[in-house]
Coordinates of all heavy atoms in Angstrom, one line a residue:
T285 N 91.7 144.7 119.2 CA 90.3 144.5 119.1 C 89.8 144.7 117.6 O 90.3 145.7 117.0 CB 89.5 145.3 120.0 OG1 90.1 146.6 120.1 CG2 89.3 144.7 121.4
A286 N 88.9 143.9 117.2 CA 88.4 144.0 115.9 C 87.3 145.1 115.9 O 86.6 145.3 116.9 CB 87.8 142.7 115.4
S287 N 87.1 145.7 114.7 CA 86.1 146.7 114.6 C 84.7 146.0 114.5 O 84.7 144.8 114.2 CB 86.3 147.5 113.3 OG 86.0 146.7 112.2
P288 N 83.6 146.7 114.8 CA 82.3 146.1 114.8 C 82.0 145.5 113.4 O 81.4 144.5 113.3 CB 81.3 147.2 115.1 CG 82.2 148.2 116.0 CD 83.6 148.1 115.4
D289 N 82.4 146.2 112.3 CA 82.2 145.7 111.0 C 82.9 144.4 110.8 O 82.4 143.4 110.2 CB 82.7 146.7 109.9 CG 81.8 147.9 109.8 OD1 80.7 147.9 110.3 OD2 82.3 148.9 109.3
R290 N 84.2 144.3 111.2 CA 85.0 143.1 111.1 C 84.4 142.0 111.9 O 84.3 140.8 111.4 CB 86.4 143.4 111.5 CG 87.3 142.3 111.3 CD 87.7 142.2 109.9 NE 88.8 141.4 109.7 CZ 89.1 140.8 108.6 NH1 88.2 140.9 107.6 NH2 90.1 140.0 108.4
E291 N 83.9 142.2 113.1 CA 83.3 141.2 113.9 C 82.0 140.7 113.3 O 81.8 139.5 113.3 CB 83.0 141.8 115.3 CG 84.2 141.9 116.2 CD 83.9 142.5 117.6 OE1 82.8 142.2 118.0 OE2 84.8 143.1 118.1
A292 N 81.3 141.6 112.6 CA 80.0 141.1 111.9 C 80.4 140.2 110.8 O 79.7 139.2 110.6 CB 79.2 142.4 111.5
V293 N 81.4 140.6 110.0 CA 81.8 139.7 108.9 C 82.3 138.4 109.4 O 81.9 137.3 108.8 CB 82.9 140.4 108.0 CG1 83.5 139.5 107.0 CG2 82.3 141.7 107.3
N294 N 83.1 138.4 110.4 CA 83.6 137.1 111.0 C 82.4 136.2 111.5 O 82.4 135.0 111.3 CB 84.6 137.4 112.1 CG 85.9 137.8 111.6 OD1 86.3 137.6 110.5 ND2 86.7 138.5 112.5
S295 N 81.5 136.9 112.1 CA 80.3 136.1 112.6 C 79.5 135.5 111.5 O 79.1 134.4 111.5 CB 79.4 137.0 113.5 OG 78.3 136.4 113.9
E296 N 79.3 136.3 110.5 CA 78.6 135.8 109.3 C 79.4 134.7 108.6 O 78.8 133.7 108.2 CB 78.4 137.0 108.3 CG 77.4 136.6 107.2 CD 77.1 137.8 106.3 OE1 77.3 139.0 106.7 OE2 76.8 137.6 105.1
L297 N 80.7 134.8 108.5 CA 81.5 133.8 107.9 C 81.4 132.5 108.7 O 81.3 131.4 108.1 CB 82.9 134.2 107.7 CG 83.9 133.3 107.1 CD1 83.5 132.9 105.7 CD2 85.3 133.9 107.1
K298 N 81.5 132.6 110.0 CA 81.4 131.4 110.9 C 80.0 130.7 110.6 O 80.0 129.5 110.6 CB 81.5 131.8 112.3 CG 82.9 132.1 112.7 CD 83.0 132.5 114.2 CE 84.3 133.0 114.6 NZ 84.4 133.4 116.0
E299 N 79.0 131.5 110.5 CA 77.6 130.9 110.3 C 77.6 130.2 108.9 O 77.1 129.1 108.8 CB 76.6 132.0 110.3 CG 75.2 131.4 110.1 CD 74.7 130.4 111.1 OE1 75.2 130.4 112.3 OE2 74.0 129.5 110.7
K300 N 78.2 130.8 107.9 CA 78.2 130.1 106.6 C 79.0 128.9 106.6 O 78.7 127.9 106.0 CB 78.8 131.1 105.5 CG 77.9 132.3 105.2 CD 76.7 131.8 104.5 CE 75.8 133.0 104.2 NZ 74.5 132.7 103.6
L301 N 80.1 128.9 107.4 CA 81.0 127.7 107.5 C 80.2 126.6 108.2 O 80.2 125.4 107.8 CB 82.2 128.0 108.3 CG 83.3 127.0 108.5 CD1 83.7 126.4 107.2 CD2 84.4 127.5 109.3
R302 N 79.4 126.9 109.3 CA 78.6 125.9 110.0 C 77.6 125.4 109.0 O 77.3 124.2 109.0 CB 77.9 126.6 111.2 CG 78.7 126.5 112.4 CD 77.9 127.0 113.6 NE 78.7 127.8 114.5 CZ 78.7 129.1 114.6 NH1 77.8 129.8 114.0 NH2 79.5 129.7 115.4
E303 N 77.0 126.2 108.2 CA 76.0 125.8 107.2 C 76.6 124.8 106.3 O 76.0 123.7 106.0 CB 75.4 126.9 106.4 CG 74.5 127.8 107.1 CD 74.0 129.0 106.3 OE1 74.4 129.1 105.1 OE2 73.4 129.9 106.9
G304 N 77.8 125.1 105.8 CA 78.5 124.2 104.9 C 78.8 122.8 105.5 O 78.6 121.8 104.9
I305 N 79.2 122.9 106.7 CA 79.5 121.6 107.4 C 78.3 120.8 107.7 O 78.2 119.6 107.5 CB 80.3 121.9 108.7 CG1 81.7 122.4 108.4 CG2 80.4 120.6 109.6 CD1 82.5 122.9 109.6
D306 N 77.2 121.5 108.1 CA 75.9 120.8 108.3 C 75.4 120.1 107.1 O 74.6 119.1 107.2 CB 74.9 121.8 108.9 CG 75.2 122.2 110.3 OD1 76.0 121.6 111.0 OD2 74.6 123.2 110.7
K307 N 75.7 120.6 105.9 CA 75.2 120.0 104.7 C 75.9 118.8 104.2 O 75.5 118.1 103.4 CB 75.2 121.1 103.5 CG 74.2 122.2 103.7 CD 74.3 123.1 102.5 CE 73.2 124.2 102.6 NZ 73.1 125.0 101.4
L308 N 77.0 118.5 104.9 CA 77.9 117.4 104.5 C 77.2 116.1 104.9 O 76.4 116.0 105.9 CB 79.2 117.4 105.2 CG 80.1 118.6 104.8 CD1 81.4 118.6 105.7 CD2 80.6 118.5 103.3
D309 N 77.5 115.0 104.1 CA 77.0 113.7 104.6 C 77.7 113.4 105.9 O 78.7 113.9 106.2 CB 77.5 112.6 103.6 CG 76.8 112.7 102.2 OD1 75.7 113.2 102.2 OD2 77.4 112.2 101.2
P310 N 77.0 112.5 106.7 CA 77.5 112.3 108.1 C 79.0 111.8 108.2 O 79.7 112.2 109.1 CB 76.6 111.2 108.6 CG 75.3 111.4 107.9 CD 75.7 111.9 106.5
D311 N 79.4 110.9 107.2 CA 80.8 110.5 107.3 C 81.8 111.6 107.0 O 82.8 111.7 107.7 CB 81.0 109.4 106.2 CG 80.3 108.1 106.5 OD1 79.9 107.9 107.7 OD2 80.1 107.2 105.6
L312 N 81.4 112.5 106.1 CA 82.3 113.6 105.8 C 82.3 114.6 106.9 O 83.3 115.1 107.3 CB 81.9 114.3 104.5 CG 82.0 113.4 103.2 CD1 81.5 114.2 102.0 CD2 83.3 112.8 103.0
R313 N 81.1 114.8 107.5 CA 81.0 115.8 108.6 C 81.8 115.3 109.8 O 82.5 116.1 110.4 CB 79.5 116.0 108.9 CG 79.3 117.1 110.0 CD 77.8 117.3 110.4 NE 76.9 117.1 109.3 CZ 76.0 116.1 109.3 NH1 75.9 115.2 110.2 NH2 75.2 116.0 108.2
A314 N 81.7 114.1 110.1 CA 82.4 113.5 111.3 C 83.9 113.7 111.1 O 84.6 114.1 112.0 CB 82.1 112.1 111.5
A315 N 84.4 113.5 109.9 CA 85.9 113.7 109.7 C 86.3 115.1 109.9 O 87.3 115.4 110.5 CB 86.2 113.2 108.2
V316 N 85.5 116.0 109.3 CA 85.8 117.5 109.5 C 85.7 117.9 110.9 O 86.6 118.6 111.4 CB 84.9 118.3 108.6 CG1 85.0 119.8 108.9 CG2 85.2 118.1 107.1
V317 N 84.7 117.5 111.6 CA 84.5 117.9 113.0 C 85.7 117.4 113.9 O 86.3 118.1 114.7 CB 83.2 117.5 113.6 CG1 83.1 117.7 115.1 CG2 82.1 118.3 112.9
L318 N 86.0 116.1 113.7 CA 87.1 115.6 114.5 C 88.4 116.2 114.2 O 89.2 116.5 115.2 CB 87.2 114.0 114.3 CG 86.0 113.2 114.8 CD1 86.1 111.8 114.4 CD2 86.0 113.3 116.4
R319 N 88.8 116.4 113.0 CA 90.1 117.0 112.6 C 90.1 118.5 112.7 O 91.0 119.1 113.4 CB 90.5 116.6 111.2 CG 91.0 115.2 111.1 CD 92.4 115.1 111.6 NE 93.4 115.7 110.7 CZ 94.3 116.6 111.1 NH1 94.4 116.9 112.4 NH2 95.1 117.1 110.3
D320 N 89.2 119.2 112.1 CA 89.3 120.6 111.9 C 88.6 121.4 113.1 O 89.0 122.5 113.3 CB 88.7 121.1 110.6 CG 89.5 120.5 109.4 OD1 90.7 120.1 109.6 OD2 88.9 120.4 108.3
V321 N 87.6 120.8 113.7 CA 87.0 121.5 114.8 C 87.6 121.1 116.1 O 87.9 122.0 116.9 CB 85.4 121.3 114.7 CG1 84.7 122.0 115.9 CG2 84.8 121.8 113.4
Q322 N 87.6 119.8 116.4 CA 88.2 119.3 117.6 C 89.7 119.3 117.7 O 90.3 119.1 118.8 CB 87.5 118.0 118.0 CG 86.0 118.1 118.3 CD 85.4 116.8 118.7 OE1 86.1 115.8 118.8 NE2 84.1 116.8 118.9
G323 N 90.3 119.3 116.5 CA 91.8 119.3 116.5 C 92.5 118.0 116.7 O 93.7 118.0 117.1
L324 N 91.8 116.9 116.6 CA 92.4 115.6 116.7 C 93.4 115.3 115.6 O 93.3 115.9 114.5 CB 91.4 114.5 116.8 CG 90.3 114.5 117.9 CD1 89.4 113.3 117.8 CD2 91.0 114.5 119.3
S325 N 94.4 114.4 115.9 CA 95.3 114.0 114.8 C 94.6 113.1 113.8 O 93.5 112.6 114.1 CB 96.5 113.3 115.4 OG 96.1 112.0 115.9
S326 N 95.2 112.9 112.7 CA 94.6 112.0 111.7 C 94.5 110.6 112.3 O 93.5 109.9 112.0 CB 95.4 112.0 110.4 OG 95.3 113.3 109.8
V327 N 95.5 110.2 113.0 CA 95.4 108.8 113.6 C 94.3 108.7 114.6 O 93.5 107.7 114.5 CB 96.8 108.5 114.2 CG1 96.7 107.2 115.0 CG2 97.9 108.4 113.2
E328 N 94.2 109.7 115.5 CA 93.1 109.7 116.5 C 91.7 109.7 115.8 O 90.8 108.9 116.2 CB 93.2 110.9 117.4 CG 94.4 110.8 118.3 CD 94.6 112.1 119.0 OE1 94.4 113.2 118.4 OE2 95.1 112.1 120.2
A329 N 91.5 110.5 114.8 CA 90.2 110.6 114.1 C 89.9 109.4 113.4 O 88.8 108.9 113.4 CB 90.2 111.8 113.2
A330 N 90.9 108.8 112.7 CA 90.7 107.5 112.0 C 90.3 106.4 112.9 O 89.4 105.6 112.6 CB 92.0 107.2 111.2
E331 N 90.9 106.4 114.1 CA 90.6 105.3 115.1 C 89.2 105.5 115.5 O 88.4 104.5 115.6 CB 91.6 105.4 116.2 CG 92.9 104.8 115.9 CD 93.9 105.0 117.1 OE1 93.5 105.4 118.2 OE2 95.1 104.6 116.9
I332 N 88.8 106.7 115.8 CA 87.4 106.9 116.3 C 86.4 106.5 115.2 O 85.3 105.9 115.5 CB 87.2 108.4 116.7 CG1 88.0 108.7 118.0 CG2 85.7 108.8 116.9 CD1 88.1 110.1 118.3
L333 N 86.7 106.8 114.0 CA 85.8 106.5 112.9 C 85.9 105.1 112.4 O 85.2 104.7 111.5 CB 86.0 107.5 111.7 CG 85.7 109.0 112.1 CD1 86.0 109.9 110.9 CD2 84.2 109.2 112.4
N334 N 86.9 104.4 112.9 CA 87.2 103.0 112.5 C 87.5 102.9 111.0 O 86.9 102.1 110.3 CB 86.0 102.1 112.9 CG 86.4 100.6 112.9 OD1 87.6 100.3 113.2 ND2 85.5 99.8 112.6
V335 N 88.3 103.8 110.5 CA 88.8 103.8 109.1 C 90.3 104.0 109.1 O 90.9 104.3 110.1 CB 88.1 104.9 108.3 CG1 86.6 104.8 108.2 CG2 88.5 106.3 108.8
T336 N 90.9 103.7 107.9 CA 92.3 103.9 107.8 C 92.6 105.4 107.7 O 91.7 106.3 107.5 CB 92.8 103.3 106.5 OG1 92.2 103.9 105.4 CG2 92.5 101.8 106.5
V337 N 93.8 105.8 108.0 CA 94.2 107.2 107.9 C 94.0 107.7 106.4 O 93.6 108.8 106.2 CB 95.7 107.4 108.4 CG1 96.2 108.8 108.1 CG2 95.8 107.1 109.8
A338 N 94.3 106.8 105.5 CA 94.1 107.2 104.1 C 92.6 107.5 103.8 O 92.3 108.5 103.1 CB 94.6 106.1 103.2
A339 N 91.7 106.7 104.3 CA 90.3 106.9 104.1 C 89.9 108.2 104.8 O 89.1 109.0 104.2 CB 89.5 105.7 104.7
L340 N 90.4 108.5 106.0 CA 90.1 109.7 106.7 C 90.5 110.9 105.8 O 89.8 111.9 105.6 CB 90.8 109.8 108.0 CG 90.6 111.1 108.7 CD1 89.2 111.2 109.3 CD2 91.7 111.3 109.8
K341 N 91.7 110.9 105.3 CA 92.3 112.0 104.5 C 91.4 112.2 103.2 O 91.2 113.3 102.8 CB 93.7 111.7 104.2 CG 94.6 111.9 105.4 CD 96.1 111.7 105.0 CE 97.0 111.9 106.3 NZ 98.4 111.7 106.0
S342 N 91.0 111.1 102.7 CA 90.1 111.2 101.5 C 88.8 111.9 101.8 O 88.3 112.8 101.1 CB 89.9 109.8 100.9 OG 89.0 109.9 99.8
R343 N 88.2 111.5 103.0 CA 87.0 112.1 103.4 C 87.2 113.6 103.7 O 86.4 114.4 103.4 CB 86.5 111.4 104.7 CG 85.9 110.1 104.4 CD 85.4 109.4 105.7 NE 85.0 108.0 105.5 CZ 84.5 107.3 106.4 NH1 84.3 107.7 107.6 NH2 84.1 106.1 106.1
L344 N 88.3 113.9 104.3 CA 88.6 115.3 104.6 C 88.7 116.1 103.4 O 88.2 117.3 103.3 CB 89.9 115.4 105.4 CG 89.8 115.1 106.9 CD1 91.2 115.1 107.5 CD2 89.0 116.2 107.6
H345 N 89.4 115.6 102.4 CA 89.6 116.3 101.1 C 88.3 116.6 100.4 O 88.0 117.7 100.1 CB 90.5 115.5 100.2 CG 90.8 116.1 98.9 ND1 91.5 117.3 98.7 CD2 90.3 115.9 97.6 CE1 91.5 117.6 97.5 NE2 90.8 116.8 96.8
R346 N 87.4 115.5 100.4 CA 86.1 115.7 99.7 C 85.3 116.7 100.5 O 84.6 117.6 100.0 CB 85.4 114.4 99.6 CG 85.9 113.5 98.5 CD 85.1 112.2 98.3 NE 85.6 111.3 99.4 CZ 84.8 110.5 100.0 NH1 83.5 110.4 99.7 NH2 85.2 109.7 100.9
A347 N 85.3 116.6 101.8 CA 84.5 117.5 102.7 C 85.0 119.0 102.5 O 84.1 119.9 102.4 CB 84.6 117.1 104.1
R348 N 86.3 119.2 102.6 CA 86.8 120.5 102.4 C 86.4 121.1 101.1 O 86.1 122.3 101.0 CB 88.3 120.5 102.7 CG 88.6 120.3 104.1 CD 90.1 120.0 104.3 NE 90.4 119.8 105.7 CZ 91.6 119.3 106.1 NH1 92.5 118.9 105.3 NH2 91.8 119.1 107.4
L349 N 86.5 120.3 100.0 CA 86.1 120.8 98.7 C 84.6 121.3 98.7 O 84.3 122.3 98.2 CB 86.3 119.8 97.6 CG 87.8 119.5 97.3 CD1 87.8 118.4 96.2 CD2 88.5 120.7 96.7
L350 N 83.8 120.5 99.3 CA 82.4 120.8 99.3 C 82.1 122.1 100.2 O 81.3 122.9 99.8 CB 81.5 119.6 99.9 CG 81.5 118.4 98.9 CD1 80.9 117.2 99.6 CD2 80.7 118.8 97.7
V351 N 82.8 122.2 101.3 CA 82.6 123.4 102.1 C 83.1 124.6 101.4 O 82.5 125.6 101.4 CB 83.2 123.2 103.5 CG1 83.3 124.5 104.3 CG2 82.5 122.1 104.3
R352 N 84.3 124.4 100.8 CA 84.8 125.6 100.0 C 83.9 126.0 98.9 O 83.7 127.2 98.7 CB 86.2 125.1 99.4 CG 86.9 126.3 98.7 CD 88.2 125.8 98.1 NE 89.1 125.4 99.2 CZ 89.9 124.3 99.1 NH1 89.9 123.6 98.0 NH2 90.6 123.9 100.2
K353 N 83.2 125.1 98.2 CA 82.3 125.4 97.2 C 81.1 126.2 97.8 O 80.6 127.1 97.3 CB 81.8 124.1 96.5 CG 80.8 124.4 95.4 CD 80.4 123.1 94.7 CE 79.4 123.4 93.6 NZ 78.9 122.2 93.0
H354 N 80.6 125.7 99.0 CA 79.5 126.4 99.7 C 79.9 127.8 100.0 O 79.1 128.7 100.0 CB 79.1 125.6 100.9 CG 78.1 126.2 101.8 ND1 76.8 126.2 101.4 CD2 78.2 127.0 102.9 CE1 76.1 126.9 102.3 NE2 76.9 127.3 103.2
L355 N 81.1 128.0 100.4 CA 81.6 129.4 100.8 C 82.0 130.3 99.7 O 82.1 131.5 99.9 CB 82.8 129.2 101.8 CG 82.6 128.6 103.1 CD1 83.9 128.5 103.9 CD2 81.6 129.5 103.9
S356 N 82.2 129.7 98.5 CA 82.7 130.5 97.4 C 81.9 131.7 97.0 O 82.4 132.8 96.8 CB 83.0 129.6 96.2 OG 81.7 129.1 95.7
D357 N 80.6 131.6 97.0 CA 79.7 132.7 96.7 C 79.8 133.8 97.7 O 79.8 135.0 97.4 CB 78.3 132.3 96.5 CG 78.1 131.4 95.2 OD1 78.9 131.5 94.3 OD2 77.1 130.7 95.2
Y358 N 79.8 133.4 99.0 CA 79.9 134.3 100.1 C 81.2 135.1 100.0 O 81.3 136.3 100.2 CB 79.7 133.6 101.4 CG 80.0 134.5 102.6 CD1 79.1 135.5 103.0 CD2 81.2 134.5 103.3 CE1 79.3 136.4 104.0 CE2 81.5 135.3 104.3 CZ 80.5 136.3 104.7 OH 80.8 137.1 105.7
V359 N 82.3 134.4 99.9 CA 83.6 135.0 99.9 C 83.8 135.9 98.7 O 84.5 136.9 98.8 CB 84.7 133.9 100.0 CG1 86.1 134.5 99.8 CG2 84.6 133.1 101.3
A360 N 83.3 135.5 97.5 CA 83.4 136.3 96.3 C 82.6 137.6 96.3 O 82.9 138.5 95.6 CB 83.1 135.4 95.1
A361 N 81.6 137.6 97.1 CA 80.6 138.8 97.1 C 81.4 140.0 97.7 O 82.1 139.9 98.6 CB 79.4 138.5 98.0
P362 N 81.2 141.2 97.0 CA 81.8 142.4 97.5 C 81.3 142.8 98.9 O 80.1 142.6 99.2 CB 81.5 143.5 96.5 CG 80.3 142.9 95.8 CD 80.3 141.4 95.9
R363 N 82.2 143.3 99.8 CA 81.8 143.7 101.1 C 81.9 145.2 101.2 O 82.7 145.9 100.9 CB 82.7 143.0 102.2 CG 82.6 141.5 102.1 CD 81.5 141.0 103.0 NE 81.3 139.6 102.8 CZ 80.2 139.1 102.2 NH1 79.2 139.8 101.9 NH2 80.1 137.8 102.0

């Protein structure tokens, strides 16, 4: 079991992650949700979005960079 402090930090991190995903353009957000949240394969996600696997991977890369940038200040802050 995690300590209360650890659980609070995890909860806060999850909220920051949701904020970062919510700020994405709809195309990028859909790619992240399908692959990273719902756990679909690249082929499945690409089919749902009606794009090539290469296009999906490009969207995922851009989306992950933007979410990482959103999280960078939070992660870098001393705890």
Side-chain angles (χ1 to χ4, degrees):
T285 39
S287 70
D289 289 342
R290 185 75 166 154
E291 286 182 26
V293 169
N294 285 341
S295 178
E296 190 176 336
L297 180 58
K298 285 179 187 178
E299 181 58 32
K300 293 293 183 185
L301 184 57
R302 273 190 219 107
E303 287 175 10
I305 292 171
D306 288 345
K307 288 183 176 185
L308 295 172
D309 289 337
D311 290 344
L312 300 180
R313 186 180 325 115
V316 168
V317 169
L318 291 173
R319 279 289 287 130
D320 297 339
V321 177
Q322 294 183 359
L324 297 180
S325 71
S326 293
V327 172
E328 292 168 325
E331 286 177 2
I332 289 169
L333 297 174
N334 199 30
V335 298
T336 65
V337 172
L340 174 78
K341 289 180 179 183
S342 177
R343 289 179 185 185
L344 280 171
H345 180 71
R346 285 184 281 144
R348 289 171 179 162
L349 288 175
L350 291 168
V351 171
R352 186 177 300 138
K353 183 178 178 184
H354 176 77
L355 292 175
S356 66
D357 290 338
Y358 171 76
V359 173
R363 302 272 170 246

